[in-house]
Amino acid sequence: MKTYSLLGYTVFLFENDKEVEDTKNMCPPCIGLFAFDTETDTKIDMSKRDASNIDIMHDKPFLVQFGFNNLVFLADLRFKNISKEKVLDCFEKYRSVATFALAHNIKFDVNMLMNIGYEIEPENLCDTMSIARLALESRSEREGG
């Protein structure tokens, strides 16, 4: 497993399924805040404001990243020795012991996970995009907010 230090985080890049399984087996019994994200290679036309070029029902992620405290785990699904099933099992093990599972625009990330076989309907999801909209005015003063 490749390991990097970045901005105070220890980042682990899985290179094979054994590393994913070993990480799953080292999951602590309880995590307060678990964060995750997915990346897809969908080409987004930023000139369109309606995002009609994103197919949330069919696009698949190439990267699944998750972590807690100062630990980040990266699974590049393009690697031949990494299976999405093992990654999803590991992800679910960590997510299931967390008080909160946090992501930004969580609907997108959960859909990406579902598109590669994630079937759990978690009850501990928390969306930072929703929190930001609740905490801040959604429109600037110049737009009438």
Side-chain angles (χ1 to χ4, degrees), residues 71-88:
L71 305 176
V72 179
F73 303 101
L74 300 176
D76 190 330
L77 300 177
R78 298 170 296 187
F79 289 3
K80 291 178 184 176
N81 295 329
I82 299 286
S83 71
K84 61 186 177 189
E85 295 82 11
K86 292 283 187 188
V87 170
L88 290 175

Side-chain angles (χ1 to χ4, degrees), residues 48-64:
K48 294 181 183 178
R49 292 187 59 96
D50 65 356
S52 59
N53 51 343
I54 297 175
D55 186 354
I56 198 166
M57 297 304 292
H58 298 99
D59 289 345
K60 292 181 171 46
F62 68 88
L63 185 72
V64 176

Side-chain angles (χ1 to χ4, degrees), residues 126-138:
C126 187
D127 189 355
T128 60
M129 192 166 72
S130 297
I131 293 169
R133 288 188 175 158
L134 290 170
L136 303 170
E137 190 68 42
S138 64

Side-chain angles (χ1 to χ4, degrees), residues 22-121:
D22 290 347
T23 300
K24 175 184 167 190
N25 293 334
M26 294 186 316
C27 181
C30 183
I31 297 171
L33 185 63
F34 169 83
F36 68 98
D37 191 19
T38 61
E39 300 297 336
T40 181
D41 56 4
T42 301
K43 304 293 187 263
I44 300 174
D45 181 355
M46 297 306 285
S47 67
K48 294 181 183 178
R49 292 187 59 96
D50 65 356
S52 59
N53 51 343
I54 297 175
D55 186 354
I56 198 166
M57 297 304 292
H58 298 99
D59 289 345
K60 292 181 171 46
F62 68 88
L63 185 72
V64 176
Q65 47 205 344
F66 55 91
F68 65 102
N69 296 342
N70 67 332
L71 305 176
V72 179
F73 303 101
L74 300 176
D76 190 330
L77 300 177
R78 298 170 296 187
F79 289 3
K80 291 178 184 176
N81 295 329
I82 299 286
S83 71
K84 61 186 177 189
E85 295 82 11
K86 292 283 187 188
V87 170
L88 290 175
D89 283 347
C90 184
F91 171 89
E92 179 53 22
K93 176 72 173 182
Y94 281 77
R95 198 273 325 146
S96 69
V97 299
T99 304
F100 294 105
L102 183 74
H104 187 78
N105 191 5
I106 208 162
K107 184 169 121 177
F108 178 84
D109 295 307
V110 169
N111 270 287
M112 289 299 109
L113 294 172
M114 289 171 59
N115 291 348
I116 59 170
Y118 189 66
E119 297 178 355
I120 309 296
E121 292 186 28

Side-chain angles (χ1 to χ4, degrees), residues 137 139-145:
E137 190 68 42
R139 293 190 320 176
S140 68
E141 279 187 44
R142 72 175 183 220
E143 294 174 329

